[in-house]
Amino acid sequence: MTSSVSSPSIGTSLMSEAAYRDLWLEVLRKIETKIPRSQFITWFRDTAVLGFEEGTLVVGLPLPMSLNWHLEHYRAMTLTAAQELEPNVRQVVYQVDNGLKDDRTRTFDLLLAFPEQKRRKLPGKQEVKLAEGIVSKILSPRYALENFIVGSSNRLAFAACQSVATQPGGKYNPLFLYGGVGLGKTHLLQATGNAILKQMPKATVVYTTTEDFANQVIETVMNQKWEQFRRRYRLVDVLIIDDVQFLANKERMQEEFFHTFNALYEDRKQIILSADRPPQELQLDDRLVSRFERGMIADVSAPDYETRLAILVEKTKEYELFIDMHVLQFIAEHATKNIRELEGILMQAVAQYELEQRMPTVKSIADIMRKLNKDPHEEAEHTGFEISPKRIASFQDVMEAVSRYYSVSVADMLGQSRVREILIPRQIVMFLCKKYLRMSQTRLGELFSGRDHTTVMNSTNKIEEKLQNDPQMLREVRALEKELDLV
Ligand code: ADP
Ligand code: MG
């Protein structure tokens, strides 16, 4: 490293490497307070000041990939911080220096130099007492309508929640949301409760699970304090009950619930319910079903690729993570089942990041997903009831199945060849991914060596046409659908 030997003048500093290092540490101290720790560690590890001449501070970065990120996100901040320490600094420029990696003569071990101070938050109290004898589970502030990503899979449910939030006890009463595990029902229910409380802080909003409700009924059966039980619920302004499928085949619970429901309903109190299936399919007393049907029923279904990606982007913000867009796209492509699965993968990536200081890559995510998929019981979590959801195939699965079936390599399908033996399997992959994985034409085009979305559209149209008139093709596609468990 050379330093300037010109005579000192305004805007020129003569500094030793040790002085550069000291200056950089002070700059880092300032930056550390301004950005989330995870970002700080990720983007500032193995950075250094390489030079300072004529008002130009040269910041060294260990990897070329972080250059754009610094230019875009940290340059102004770095300049301000440096100016606070060295008023002569007029600009910050970057230089990539591969030698910086773990060179502790010039850089810092950020984990040691900036030890983590705040611990992760402990889970708070689970319940809150609202009035004499009225208990609600705590509504998690994490669930808000603002951070709920809306797509075609949940648009109606979301709109209904918004409407209920502004006008509880209005036209959407009761509001009944249904859909599979991990698709956002609890999020919407709690977010609606939160939104109502924001507007009407004095309202008594009770959020409870069907299990809790059932436990209270059982307790009351034992102590016979029915008066108290009934009074309790009738003081409520908004009653939110999650997962009412648990009421199935429990007559006494249904009976009590029916009375509670009617009392609230007649008082124009808002009732919000969720279940894993629509009211008619729940094994419930017809009287209850017809009550539920009086209001608004909306489903939440599995999100499409774009919605999954948008959710991932939102979650990375929430968790203060920096994950490359390609990695997020990879997760969105492959985690098609539900949103809890998406979050699970992200959380594993965070854990890995915190333990090993490894930035998630497509490969590390693929490893995580492989591990997660091994656990056959993950879905039963939280719900307490047995379901056997279909594991929806991923892009990879489709590629592999088609490759096996037609004995063509994945590489050939991804390549440019237009010979029939390769073209047809490629088109079938596109068709299946579009139809069942709900991947967009644009995304598919990108995956297939940057083809245009119209090419993808032509391909899938061709297959659709053939399925109409070519029984052989129909058989083949059906076989693949079966094998991939898509139908
Ligand atoms: P369910 O109650 O239907 O099983 P949850 O509401 O518990 O599902 O959702 C699982 C996770 O996915 C939650 O952490 C929730 O915040 C998140 N989630 C679901 N849908 C969305 C969405 N559209 N936007 C943002 N996060 C979502
Ligand atoms: Mg739930």
Side-chain angles (χ1 to χ4, degrees), residues 11 23-24 26-32 34-35 44 48-49 51-59 61 69-94:
L23 171 63
W24 192 230
E26 293 312 312
V27 172
L28 289 176
R29 278 196 212 293
K30 289 187 182 287
I31 293 174
E32 192 231 355
K34 297 200 171 70
I35 60 176
F44 286 89
V49 165
F52 178 34
E53 276 174 42
E54 307 285 342
T56 298
L57 188 73
V58 184
V59 174
L61 304 175
W69 195 271
H70 270 271
L71 287 172
E72 215 172 290
H73 295 90
Y74 302 130
R75 178 150 62 173
M77 187 183 290
T78 306
L79 179 62
T80 313
Q83 280 172 335
E84 284 169 24
L85 299 157
E86 278 283 335
N88 293 337
V89 180
R90 283 198 312 273
Q91 64 167 344
V92 168
V93 300
Y94 292 96

Side-chain angles (χ1 to χ4, degrees), residues 143 180-187 189 207 242-243 274 340 382-383:
Y143 296 127
V181 181
L183 297 178
K185 300 182 300 296
T186 297
H187 187 131
L189 257 51
Y207 169 83
D242 216 346
D243 292 319
S274 85
R340 199 168 286 149
H382 292 322
T383 56

Side-chain angles (χ1 to χ4, degrees), residues 142-143 147-149 154 180-187 311 315 339-340 343:
R142 211 167 72 71
Y143 296 127
N147 66 10
F148 189 80
I149 304 293
N154 55 32
V181 181
L183 297 178
K185 300 182 300 296
T186 297
H187 187 131
I311 290 173
K315 299 286 163 188
I339 296 144
R340 199 168 286 149
E343 279 192 329

Side-chain angles (χ1 to χ4, degrees), residues 345-361:
I345 295 165
L346 268 187
M347 292 299 67
Q348 292 284 320
V350 178
Q352 188 177 59
Y353 171 78
E354 287 185 345
L355 290 172
E356 303 167 28
Q357 295 299 311
R358 266 204 331 191
M359 283 287 277
T361 59

